[in-house]
Amino acid sequence: MSSHDDQDRAWFHSQFISLSTRKTGFEWQAFVNDLMHAVHPGDFVAVDPSGRGDKGCDGWVGGLMLACYGAGNPNQRYVTRKIESDFTTALKYWGDSMDRWAFVHNNANGLPEMAARAVIELRRQHRGSVRIELWPPQVLWNHCAFLPRERLATITGSPPSDHPAGMSYIARCVESLARTRLTPGLDPVREVAHGKIEHNGFGPEVADLIRRFQVHTGHVRYYFTFASPGEQAQVSENLRARFAGHRALLESPDAVFHALCDDLVVEAFRGGGYADKAQQRSAALMVVTHFFEKCEIFEAPEEQSRAASF
């Protein structure tokens, strides 16, 4: 496997886990369904919950029944009741077709203690009749990691190119961040502190991604040498606001980083005319990494005393 293949696989994995933690409710169920359709084309059965409801089945294939639950910060009593009620309902209405039952959730850190005990108890009660499984994002990834690159990209987005993005792609990203009027009185943009990647607790895949794209941020700096006065400060302010919004909702620094890049790809290129998806992703990564280096998105080590680190 080439180094480019390794980079692709690392990006797909970290992006997949990030997307999983960011999707909730029906978005999470739709995400799971898209993956299952890709893995089991023509065999996976998705059940529309409208009308009379799904009767405890969020999807079925080959005797495997899925129950999907997506929440950013699950309440353990609610999750426990949902596990018990989803399984009981599925067993009542689909029992003859259910050899395995999987609770597919989006918490990469695991289930709350009370919910974990409920799963263990269900396994004890139904040992020998139904196999009860837990599918956090890591297990869901293992289920679909073998998919061809093109098929994964339709679900998670395209991975970046291993070359710098063209200047027109960088410009489009910057322009999309510069649409909001600048607020006067901004603090000056500060240089990134040594050890900032380690301090923020990025996973190894995202840390490596940032280091790879730090090599290319000179292209972004070059763009700003010809930009209108104040444009970099304006873009910096807007990116800080987006960062604050994602950080308030997401626990993982990896998820925040990917969310910023995803926002930029969607907003900068929604109008069409820029066909190279890998260049789009590379441009977004270059711009976000540039401001990771130059402005207050994520924490510098000396900020530890002022705010809790990730």
Side-chain angles (χ1 to χ4, degrees):
M1 180 178 286
S2 71
S3 59
H4 180 54
D5 290 335
D6 290 340
Q7 176 182 310
D8 262 13
R9 188 56 58 178
W11 182 86
F12 273 122
H13 179 255
S14 62
Q15 168 74 345
F16 180 90
I17 300 298
S18 169
L19 280 175
S20 296
T21 60
R22 287 149 50 194
K23 292 185 179 296
T24 58
F26 288 117
E27 279 188 350
W28 171 243
Q29 183 173 334
F31 181 66
V32 173
N33 283 349
D34 286 345
L35 288 167
M36 296 300 287
H37 281 303
V39 174
H40 305 282
D43 292 327
F44 179 68
V45 179
V47 180
D48 186 348
S50 62
R52 297 179 61 192
D54 57 25
K55 299 296 188 290
C57 174
D58 291 335
W60 179 95
V61 61
L64 169 66
M65 189 75 59
L66 301 183
C68 299
Y69 177 67
N73 294 292
N75 174 278
Q76 69 170 343
R77 290 187 181 277
Y78 178 83
V79 180
T80 301
R81 289 195 297 269
K82 182 165 179 60
I83 289 171
E84 294 169 342
S85 64
D86 280 6
F87 178 80
T88 301
T89 303
L91 189 64
K92 177 180 178 180
Y93 288 98
W94 303 89
D96 292 342
S97 304
M98 190 170 75
D99 302 319
R100 298 160 60 202
W101 181 83
F103 188 70
V104 189
H105 65 90
N106 72 333
N107 192 337
N109 294 323
L111 289 176
E113 177 269 340
M114 184 183 296
R117 288 182 180 274
V119 172
I120 293 170
E121 178 60 20
L122 285 175
R123 286 177 174 173
R124 186 191 66 78
Q125 293 176 4
H126 299 277
R127 184 182 297 116
S129 57
V130 178
R131 178 181 172 87
I132 298 171
E133 304 176 12
L134 286 177
W135 285 23
Q138 297 93 326
V139 173
L140 189 62
W141 166 253
N142 291 338
H143 198 69
C144 67
F146 68 91
L147 287 171
R149 182 183 191 275
E150 294 75 17
R151 192 170 295 176
L152 270 177
T154 63
I155 299 168
T156 65
S158 175
S161 167
D162 56 349
H163 301 292
M167 197 57 66
S168 63
Y169 286 84
I170 294 172
R172 190 67 175 258
C173 285
V174 171
E175 289 163 5
S176 74
L177 281 170
R179 289 176 186 142
T180 304
R181 292 187 61 187
L182 180 64
T183 301
L186 288 179
D187 293 332
V189 174
R190 308 186 320 174
E191 292 291 327
V192 66
H194 177 72
K196 186 176 180 181
I197 292 176
E198 294 77 11
H199 175 75
N200 281 278
F202 291 108
E205 293 164 337
V206 172
D208 182 61
L209 198 63
I210 293 172
R211 292 188 183 100
R212 284 176 185 262
F213 278 85
Q214 281 180 314
V215 176
H216 301 315
T217 55
H219 296 272
V220 183
R221 292 193 295 273
Y222 178 80
Y223 170 87
F224 281 120
T225 63
F226 297 96
S228 60
E231 186 172 10
Q232 181 166 222
Q234 181 174 347
V235 172
S236 173
E237 180 199 17
N238 292 332
L239 192 60
R240 289 175 190 173
R242 292 161 189 265
F243 166 74
H246 286 304
R247 185 176 178 180
L249 296 173
L250 302 169
E251 294 181 357
S252 163
D254 289 4
V256 173
F257 185 83
H258 276 295
L260 289 169
C261 294
D262 285 349
D263 283 354
L264 212 45
V265 169
V266 170
E267 294 174 13
F269 303 105
R270 63 159 56 102
Y274 292 77
D276 192 326
K277 302 292 186 183
Q279 287 271 295
Q280 294 177 19
R281 182 68 58 178
S282 291
L285 279 162
M286 288 162 65
V287 171
V288 173
T289 302
H290 167 79
F291 283 101
F292 173 82
E293 293 179 318
K294 295 295 181 184
C295 79
E296 294 178 358
I297 59 170
F298 297 97
E299 291 177 6
E302 68 269 18
E303 293 176 300
Q304 190 169 13
S305 61
R306 290 194 290 120
S309 66
F310 271 94

